[in-house]
Amino acid sequence: MKYISRNIIEFVKTNLSVFPAVAILGSRQCGKSTLVKMMQKEDSNILYLDLQNRDDLAKLNEPSLFFQYNANKTICLDEVQLRPDIFAVLRSEIDRDRRHGRFILLGSASRNLIQHTSESLAGRVGLISLTPFLVDEVDKTEDFSLQNYWFRGGYPDSFMAVDDNSSCLWRENFIRTYIERDIPQLGFHIAAPQLMRLLTMTAYEQGQLLNSSKLASSMGLSPTTIRHYLDIMEQTYIIRSLPPYFKNTKKRLVKSPKIYVRDSGLLHQILRIKSFNDLLSNPVLGNSWEGMVVENVCSVARNAQCFFYRSATGEEMDLVLQYPNRLIAIECKSSTAPSVTEGFWKSIAFLEPTDIYVVAPVESAYPLAEKVTVCNLSEIVAIVSSMDNSH
């Protein structure tokens, strides 16, 4: 399988030049290990240990001795959440020698992992999130197809599969492993059928307001338990919750967030959508497109706060990016000939954004109205990336 360069690699190197340790967090199979192994090809000073490998794990029987013996190396610990005891040793070792770039920590985003890195290594570690492929990482590759990216999602093994059937098979296995192995391995004891059912119900609610009481009633659980399970899925980068936008915190119009399965390929697999043609005839089409746009834009807008807007009377804007001196409004339309409703203009009148975009599967950007531009997914990601870098 060929290697596709990741945009975040320079950001990782920058963090390594500032912090003694850098933690790269993301879901399993999103490309964390591959990214470090490619860095290792450029820099032989990187020493990679996979803590799921028994031989590598044995090297850490005496971690302090190992770290000091390899003090001139950048030591990468993969699946570091499997050894939570290592964080106290890392803290001591970093305090003994605070040179930058000493450790790279890779792990599935878990509450325990984030807790350990933020508490034990506070001020000593740069935290970076890695997503599956974003569109601007793959849209220049040979034979790129937006339809393939949309249907298969961004996980490297799914996106680069030889055909749709192979992609579906990989995603089915990923979901089963996530439910049956990854969640228990992170220390959460949830019945696999229960979690699978909740994930399926969440997929059917793609892009809708979270109604934990409705989900709780359907599953025979309490709303508190539902929110706890959803929180676990969010911490493990499977779902995203998008909070509502409000100008005045005292006049918050909608309190519930919108929820999305973050990867479009996983969404389609959970819903048993087996081809792009099947997606085109499925009611989830519009919300699938919206979720893909939200995921790509929010992932590159690191310096913005991301929201949706919905008024008490139902006017809505799919995505609102708030910078200190700029407000960007984004509406998502899955049609190649997008049109907007009266509610769109009412939302614009309330929000008073500095930039307005309608993102649709079109060939290239064109003006829809004064200050309103229709553009495609790659174009909005480039626009937001440029804005984010200027802040």
Side-chain angles (χ1 to χ4, degrees), residues 39-52:
M39 291 173 62
Q40 195 178 27
K41 287 186 177 180
E42 298 175 13
D43 182 1
S44 59
N45 204 45
I46 295 175
L47 179 61
Y48 174 87
L49 297 183
D50 181 356
L51 301 193
Q52 287 188 311

Side-chain angles (χ1 to χ4, degrees), residues 170-268:
W170 184 89
R171 283 178 274 136
E172 182 65 26
N173 182 69
F174 176 94
I175 293 165
R176 187 170 63 250
T177 304
Y178 170 77
I179 296 289
E180 296 175 1
R181 190 195 73 178
D182 295 349
I183 292 297
Q185 206 171 55
L186 291 169
F188 301 111
H189 304 291
I190 306 168
Q194 213 170 44
L195 195 60
M196 188 65 232
R197 189 175 171 208
L198 179 59
L199 184 56
T200 304
M201 293 175 71
T202 303
Y204 278 107
E205 297 293 316
Q206 178 82 348
Q208 304 298 317
L209 292 181
L210 171 61
N211 187 333
S212 50
S213 296
K214 175 184 167 186
L215 291 173
S217 176
S218 299
M219 293 190 64
L221 299 170
S222 71
T224 302
T225 301
I226 291 292
R227 286 192 292 270
H228 173 60
Y229 289 180
L230 290 173
D231 183 49
I232 292 168
M233 288 196 284
E234 184 162 18
Q235 288 183 43
T236 47
Y237 285 123
I238 295 300
I239 68 168
R240 177 187 290 276
S241 64
L242 192 65
Y245 174 80
F246 50 94
K247 286 185 176 180
N248 187 327
T249 54
K250 293 181 180 178
K251 296 182 179 179
R252 195 167 184 172
L253 300 177
V254 182
K255 292 184 179 180
S256 294
K258 285 167 70 169
I259 52 172
Y260 300 90
V261 175
R262 291 183 61 159
D263 182 75
S264 58
L266 294 188
L267 171 74
H268 302 148

Side-chain angles (χ1 to χ4, degrees), residues 126-180:
L127 287 171
I128 298 173
S129 295
L130 183 69
T131 66
F133 287 140
L134 300 176
V135 71
D136 61 334
E137 294 175 314
V138 295
D139 61 4
K140 302 296 189 295
T141 57
E142 188 180 358
D143 299 327
F144 172 75
S145 157
L146 177 65
Q147 288 78 13
N148 269 351
Y149 176 71
W150 182 359
F151 171 66
R152 297 182 180 186
Y155 280 93
D157 287 328
S158 176
F159 173 73
M160 300 170 75
V162 293
D163 54 35
D164 283 350
N165 286 337
S166 300
S167 173
C168 288
L169 187 63
W170 184 89
R171 283 178 274 136
E172 182 65 26
N173 182 69
F174 176 94
I175 293 165
R176 187 170 63 250
T177 304
Y178 170 77
I179 296 289
E180 296 175 1

